Every structure is written in C-alpha cells, then in structure tokens.
C-alpha cells in the first residue's frame, strides 16, 4: 500500500542562526528511514509523467521503487543508467519546475520528493564507498570536450561509456565549471563535485586543466590532433554590468568574481591566499539564483545584505527554496528598486548605491510585467560593497578564434536539432548555446550531444 | 604540474624562471601573459610572458618579489614544480609603426623586452628607454641592446646610465625632432600615466600594457576591468594593451589598491613562516 500522506517528508536543515556562521551544507539530507517512507508515497504510475519532466530522463518510478524496498544499490544503478552526476542534480535541480512538476501526487498535495531521494541514493553510495567504475572497452575513436562544466562533464561521461577516448579541456585549474566557482559550498559541497568528477576519470576520461581553447590551442588544431568530434560546453561566463557611473569603484564586484573568490579560491577561509572584502553592508543587484548565492555568501562574511531587484517578489526568477533560505538568513529584499549610480569616497571605495523606485507596467515579450522607473523617486542605500548579479553572456573567445562557428545576436552558438554547430563535427550545448540557464538543462544538452556525436563518428568512420 | 627548468636571479628581488609548459608555449606572443598558482592553496596571479620557446615547450617569466605569492615563488628552485600555469592569455601586442620608442620601468622591463624584440624582428626601428631606481636594480641590459637600434638607460640617482626619469629622455628625443610613430610604455601605473600625459601633448600614439588585479584571466569575472574611453573593458581579454590616451589611470591606480591591507598581512605571515623554517 502506498503511503498516502499529502506532504513531502521535510528536509532536515541547519538552523539559520547557526548556518550564517559557517559554509557547511544547509540541507542535510534524508536518513534511510525518511527516504524509504518518502519513496512509499510514489504511486508507480503506468504513464510515468515525472520522467518526461527530467532533462536526462532518469527512470524515476523504478529507482524510487528500489528505495522503498530499501535496496539503495539497485536504485543507484537505475539512476546511473541515464545520469552521471546524481549527487549534484539531486541538490541543485529546480525539481519544482521539472520532474516534480509532473508528479501525480502533486495534484492534490505535494509531489514526491524525487530530488531528495536521488540525492539520498547518491550520498548513500558515496558514503558507503562504492566500487570505482571500470573503464569500458575502447572503440578506437577520439572525442574532445571543451569546458568541464555540467554540459561537458555529462557529454564526456556518456562518450566514455560508449567506448570513446575522451579528453576534456578546461581553462581553470579545477574542473567543474559553475559547480566549483559559482554554486556555494553550503548548497553544493565541493568535495562531492570532485567525487563525481573522479568517477568520470575512473571511466577513462582525461581532463586537461589550464588549457584555454582559443589561446592555448584552437578547435582547428584539436581536429588535426585526431579528435573526430568536438563538444563545446564553454558556458556563459561573461558577466554583465549595467554601464552606470561608479561601477569601477572598489567594492563593486560581478557575482562571478565574488563567487569565484569565495567558492573556487576559498577566500572565506582564515589565512586564504586569495583575498576578499569582508563587507559590513552589501547591495546585491538581481533576483536570480546567482543573486541569492552571492547574497548568502556575503551574509556568511558577516555582512548585512540587501537584495535590490527591479520587479516584485512574484517575478523573482530564483528558486522559491533559495529565496526562503535567504529570507531565513536575514537577507533584506528591497523589491521594485533599481540602482542608477554608485557613489564612492575620496579613496575610491563604494559608500552608497543610489536607487530609483520602480512600478510594474504591462507584460513584456518575456511575459513578465515591465518595470518602469518612477521619476524623482531616487534614494540612497549606504553600502561598502555591491555585487552585480544581473546575468552573464557567452564568452567570445572560442567563437572569435574558430572559423565557421556562427552565433546569434546574443553571442550564443547556433546548433541544429542534433546539437551540431555550423561547423562540421563541432557540437555544442549548455549555456554556450542557450545563454545562462540551469545545470540540469546543460546536462541534458550534453547527453543529447554525446549521442549525436556517437552517430556522427560512427557514420563517418 | 609544471616544472621549473631554469632559475636566474637578475637582481636582489627580480628573478627569471623558465617553466616547462608546452600548451602555454605553443602560441605565446609578445604582450600576452600567463596565470599561475604556486601550490594547491595558492592564489591565481598573472605574469607577462618574457620569452617563449614553442619547440622546447617552455615559457619564461620574470617577476619581482612584492608580496606573499612572489615570496613563495622565490623559494622554488630548478626542478621544483608549480601547481598551475595557464595561458597564453590576453591579446598579443600589435606590431605596427616603423619608428617606435619602447619604454620600460623597473620590472616592467621584463615585459617591455619581448615587445621590443617583436618590433626588432619585424624590421622596425626600435629605440628603448629603460628606467630603474639605481644601478643594483638594472636588468636585461644586454638583451635590450641586442634588440634596440638605440638604447637609453636611466636611473633615478644617476648610478647607472643617465640620471633622470624615462619621461625626461622621451621629451628630449621628441624635442630633438626624432621621428616617433608610436610609444609603448610598460611599467608601474604612475610611470605609464606620466608617459601618456607627455605624449598626448605632442600627439604621439601611445600604447600601455595594463596590470590590474586578475583572478581567472579568461574574461569571466571582470575583476580586471578598466575604464577606457569612458567604457568598461576587461584587461584580460580586451587587453592588456590599450590606447594610453584613453585609459582612466586614476581609477586603475585606485583599484589596484583594493586588497593592500590583506596583501601586507599575508606577506608578513609568509615571511615569518619562511624565516622560522630557515631557523629550524
């Protein structure tokens, strides 16, 4: 008999007043008992609508059935058939708009906590010390992946499982992309990311760090080196600024810089070689997940934090859970406001952010109500730090150094239905194609591209 | 890991190391830089490529000990390894103009040298003016003479070459009627700023190699942003070379001081640690 309780098993979390003083994970994960109990809420529907909501189509009811039996190892095997990075997806996917949005139990209550169960299974296996994966039989073909973010790692994992000799080229000193430099430790522990990446190495994937494609080598050269197909998963890492007066002042950061210092370089640690400002009052501009992450990092450095967003609470693009966590941590939301100028002192440090009040007009082409500035409503927020989290664009380095690679007007690579770019043999996916999106949609694109690359190489052999 | 193949002490605080880094060596051109981390806990720091040999797969950088990271770097000997060494980064210098004056200040001379060499190898007429505080700090004298049609050595106190600032020599050349199509200034921000103030007066195109704080060096964070011609530019991808007459030097000088206190603290900690190690 399924467990017909209406709501999900709650996630144990670290209390807000404690967690703002550390970088330990906020959500602490289910126990085995909680997981089994939650798994029993699944009705094992025949038509499995949840699977269609998952970009990598995990066999959800099947793995959940195994969890309900307490057979976590088999549950893990089922997840691994389609997903290479479950400990990460279970944590950072916006399940409410993906798998869980399709769950039948969600019609009259809360959906089954699919993400939490996926996370539980992956964590259980890691803590138990799963056996390293065996590298599959090689098929004698070579493929290259540019960028070791979620898209590239997924493509690399899938290609390796198909027998390809895969090399990943990564510009930074550590693979993981946004999983390492962007998403904070307290949402996604870096040790878990590196554990998942080690599993790819066990599959035979070679990862070359400190290699900047476009500078250290070109796509053309990689093709000459015998890579038969190339996947570009270089992301959208170029930060946007507002081009307003005062953005060059000290204390003004892009979210990418602030988060890179905090997460990748661990600047929050006492004695860290990489410095970071320890602000007293921070203004974070933007309303997406990146803004929430930056705000919560600044909070952990001891700062009072204000989120300035030009629309209202309803339009905040961040995940609801992240907004709630931010609010619990005492982050102040100054909604319907927009900065117009940054003010500084005689030493070139930020000391105030001038904002203007906004009101919402008619919906724009994105369907969201357009914010309109209220003339003469300018006001000041005193602050010694400002973090710009208003989006990112694809980095132009690869497209500007590769002939025949076409992009749209936003600089995103153009691909066909097989994820192939306008250059034969070069595939692309993730934020490099869509602009800034989600981790899981990047993984979905990596997965689709790996399959297409396999077909392409096998056809041309 | 990236092995140090050769280490040369050029003066008491300036050191040249040649590193085994084939990927970075392959396409390295004058004006470009690399980013390195000394060890696993290290920060990412940019250094301009002083020389590169694509055949041998080596890159040479010349650095001055100014803080914790360069102090730790100084401890490393031939055969030791660096954790990370990424590059080449940034745009190569444009080798245009028939009669050029290359100006190097202090350790900036290490960066000016490959630029002077590139112009020399392209058959251009190269005048170099290099400046140091005193004779003990002079570096790369022979190397500069090899690639310069005319070479001027200046020192603040007159203990080496002529006494005076590089700008004084430049103004002297301009006033003497020497044909100058372009000036390239590489060194401390205040030096580059005063060169630009001078050349603007005489309307001589001037290129500067900017040296802001960097983290990734690939264009993803904007930590290295500068105001050039009123617009924001990222030095790591749009530069590091810029039209010196358009750069907002005061903003750049201010931004470079962002972490001064923390840097001083880390430097002292590192020195204490290394001194203790030596005593033990």
């Amino acid at each position: 008999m399924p467990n017909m309780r209406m709501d999900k098993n709650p996630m144990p979390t670290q209390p807000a007043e404690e967690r703002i003083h550390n970088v330990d994970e906020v959500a602490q994960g289910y126990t085995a008992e909680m997981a089994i109990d939650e798994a029993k809420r699944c009705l094992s529907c025949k038509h499995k609508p949840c699977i269609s909501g998952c970009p990598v189509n995990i066999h959800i009811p099947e793995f959940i059935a195994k969890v309900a039996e307490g057979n976590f190892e088999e549950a893990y095997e089922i997840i691994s058939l389609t997903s290479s990075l479950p400990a990460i997806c279970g944590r950072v996917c916006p399940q409410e708009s993906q798998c869980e949005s399709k769950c039948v139990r969600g019609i009259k209550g809360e959906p089954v906590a699919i993400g939490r169960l996926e996370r539980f299974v992956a964590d259980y296996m890691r803590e138990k010390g799963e056996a390293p994966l065996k590298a599959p039989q090689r098929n004698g073909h070579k493929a290259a992946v540019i960028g070791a973010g979620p898209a590239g790692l997924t493509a690399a994992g899938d290609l390796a499982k198909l027998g390809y000799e895969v090399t990943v080229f990564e510009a930074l000193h550590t693979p993981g992309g946004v999983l390492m430099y962007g998403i904070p430790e307290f949402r996604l522990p870096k040790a878990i990311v590196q554990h998942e990446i080690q599993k790819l190495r066990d599959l035979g994937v070679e990862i070359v760090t400190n290699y900047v494609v476009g500078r250290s080598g070109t796509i053309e050269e990689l093709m000459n080196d015998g890579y038969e197909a190339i996947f570009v998963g270089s992301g959208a890492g170029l930060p946007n600024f507002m081009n307003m007066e005062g953005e060059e002042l000290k204390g003004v950061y892009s979210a990418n810089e602030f988060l890179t210092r905090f997460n990748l370089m661990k600047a929050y640690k006492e004695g860290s070689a990489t410095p970071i400002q320890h602000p007293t009052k921070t203004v974070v501009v933007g309303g997406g997940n990146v803004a929430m992450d930056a705000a919560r990092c600044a909070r952990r450095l001891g700062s009072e934090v204000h989120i300035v967003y030009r629309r209202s609470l309803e339009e905040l693009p961040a995940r609801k859970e992240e907004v709630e966590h931010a609010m619990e941590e005492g982050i102040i939301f100054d909604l319907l406001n927009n900065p117009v100028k940054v003010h500084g002192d005689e030493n070139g440090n930020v000391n105030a952010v001038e904002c203007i009040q906004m009101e919402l007009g008619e919906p724009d082409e994105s369907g969201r109500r357009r914010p309109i500035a209220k003339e003469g409503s300018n006001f000041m927020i005193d602050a010694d730090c400002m973090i710009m989290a208003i989006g990112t664009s694809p980095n132009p380095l690869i497209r500007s150094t590769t002939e025949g690679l076409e992009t749209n007007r936003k600089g995103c690579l153009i691909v066909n239905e097989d994820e192939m770019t306008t250059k034969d043999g070069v595939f692309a996916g993730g934020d490099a194609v869509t602009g800034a999106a989600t981790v899981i949609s990047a993984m979905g694109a990596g997965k689709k591209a790996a399959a297409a690359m396999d077909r392409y190489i096998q056809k041309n052999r | 890991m990236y092995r140090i193949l050769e280490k040369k002490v050029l003066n008491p605080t300036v050191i040249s190391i040649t590193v085994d880094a084939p990927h970075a060596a392959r396409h390295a051109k004058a004006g470009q830089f690399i980013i390195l981390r000394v060890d696993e806990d290290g920060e990412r720091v940019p250094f301009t490529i002083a020389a590169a040999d694509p055949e041998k797969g080596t890159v040479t950088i010349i650095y001055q000990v100014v803080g914790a990271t360069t102090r730790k770097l100084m401890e490393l000997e031939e055969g030791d390894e660096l954790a990370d060494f990424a590059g080449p980064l940034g745009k190569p210098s444009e080798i245009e103009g028939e009669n050029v004056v290359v100006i190097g200040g202090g350790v900036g001379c290490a960066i000016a040298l490959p630029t002077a060499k590139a112009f020399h190898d392209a058959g251009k007429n190269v005048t170099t003016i290099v400046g140091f505080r005193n004779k003990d700090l002079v570096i790369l004298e022979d190397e500069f003479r090899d690639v310069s049609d005319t070479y001027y050595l200046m020192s603040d106190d007159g203990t080496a070459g002529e006494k005076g600032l590089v700008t004084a020599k430049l103004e002297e050349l301009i006033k003497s009627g020497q044909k100058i199509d372009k000036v390239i200034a590489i060194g401390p921000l205040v030096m580059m700023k005063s060169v630009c103030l001078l050349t603007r007066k005489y309307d001589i195109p001037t290129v500067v190699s900017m040296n802001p704080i960097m983290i990734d060096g690939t264009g993803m964070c904007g930590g290295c942003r500068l105001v050039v011609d009123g617009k924001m530019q990222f030095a790591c991808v749009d530069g590091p070379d810029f039209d010196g007459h358009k750069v907002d030097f005061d903003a750049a000088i201010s931004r470079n001081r962002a972490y001064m206190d923390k840097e001083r603290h880390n430097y002292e900690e590192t020195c204490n640690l290394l001194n203790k190690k030596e005593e033990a």
Side-chain angles (χ1 to χ4, degrees), chain A residues 171-173 181 208-212 215-217 221 225 237-239 241 247-250 252-254 256-257 260-261 265 271-277 347-348 395, chain B residues 2 23 26-27 32 37 41-44 84-91 213 215-216 218-223 225 227 232 234 237 251 254-255 257-259 262 266:
Chain A
L172 291 174
H173 58 267
Y181 75 75
V208 179
T209 52
N210 298 317
Y211 192 105
V212 187
R215 296 270 189 233
S216 313
E221 284 167 336
D225 287 346
L238 189 73
F241 284 87
E247 277 178 317
E248 77 287 358
L249 289 164
K250 281 177 286 183
V252 180
Y253 291 88
S254 73
N256 266 9
E257 178 184 355
T260 299
R261 285 178 183 274
M265 307 311 294
S272 145
T274 302
I276 196 167
Q277 189 188 349
N347 296 319
N395 190 311
Chain B
Y2 302 81
H23 294 315
R26 179 150 69 155
H27 293 288
Q32 291 187 300
R37 284 199 315 153
D41 301 318
E43 61 177 338
R44 295 172 64 93
D84 297 289
F85 199 88
L89 300 167
K91 287 185 180 161
I213 293 174
I215 300 110
D216 62 289
T218 63
M220 63 168 254
C221 85
R225 65 192 186 274
V227 182
M232 185 186 294
F234 291 2
V237 287
S254 169
R255 282 187 63 80
R257 292 183 181 144
Y259 300 101
K262 164 87 173 160
N266 278 6

Side-chain angles (χ1 to χ4, degrees), chain B residues 38-70:
Chain B
V38 175
D39 53 36
E40 281 304 318
D41 301 318
E43 61 177 338
R44 295 172 64 93
V45 188
F47 295 92
T48 303
I49 294 167
D53 187 332
E55 301 289 308
K56 290 187 190 150
T58 60
V59 173
T60 302
I61 60 166
I62 295 176
Y63 64 92
Q64 181 170 28
V65 178
V66 291
T69 294
T70 42

Side-chain angles (χ1 to χ4, degrees), chain A residues 241 243-244 247-248, chain B residues 224-235 238 242 246-248 251:
Chain A
F241 284 87
N243 298 315
M244 64 183 160
E247 277 178 317
E248 77 287 358
Chain B
C224 66
R225 65 192 186 274
L226 302 165
V227 182
V228 181
D229 205 13
K231 291 194 210 68
M232 185 186 294
Q233 300 271 297
F234 291 2
D238 300 319
F242 291 98
K246 293 183 174 162
V247 170
D248 181 340

Side-chain angles (χ1 to χ4, degrees), chain A residues 35-36 39 58-83 86-87 114 116-125 128 130 199:
Chain A
I36 292 171
I58 291 178
H59 303 310
I60 294 166
E62 286 89 336
F63 101 74
I64 290 183
K66 293 294 175 191
V67 176
E69 289 168 17
N71 194 340
F72 307 135
E73 289 180 31
E74 281 181 33
Y76 184 73
E77 278 168 27
I78 292 167
I79 294 172
S80 300
L81 290 175
T82 57
S83 170
I114 301 167
R116 293 173 186 178
L117 290 174
E118 178 188 18
R119 168 189 162 149
F120 166 77
V121 171
D123 287 355
Y124 173 87
M125 292 299 285
K128 181 169 163 283
E130 79 221 78
K199 289 197 308 191

